[in-house]
Amino acid sequence: MSNQTSDNNKRIAKNTLLLYFRMLFMMVVSLYTSRVIQDALGVEDLSIHISAQTIA
């Protein structure tokens, strides 16, 4: 019983760390891509793009 509990705790800790790493990775990717999109579109087209995203 105790061995099963420690295995479950290890699995929970591992999954938690993987989820935090995934969240950090996705945040970095989204910040980078938003900067690239902003540079590529410019101010006017970016506002149209954001408006279209909000509606959809």
Side-chain angles (χ1 to χ4, degrees):
M1 181 79 177
S2 177
N3 191 19
Q4 184 181 7
T5 303
S6 67
D7 287 343
N8 285 339
N9 288 340
K10 287 179 185 177
R11 188 179 338 151
I12 290 170
K14 178 183 165 188
N15 286 340
T16 301
L17 289 175
L18 288 174
L19 285 172
Y20 275 119
F21 176 73
R22 178 179 170 240
M23 182 176 59
L24 180 65
F25 178 74
M26 294 301 290
M27 188 182 343
V28 168
V29 168
S30 66
L31 287 173
Y32 178 74
T33 55
S34 65
R35 181 178 175 182
V36 169
I37 289 173
Q38 183 179 6
D39 286 342
L41 292 179
V43 176
E44 293 296 322
D45 289 334
L46 182 65
S47 62
I48 294 169
H49 176 73
I50 291 173
S51 298
Q53 268 186 328
T54 305
I55 293 171

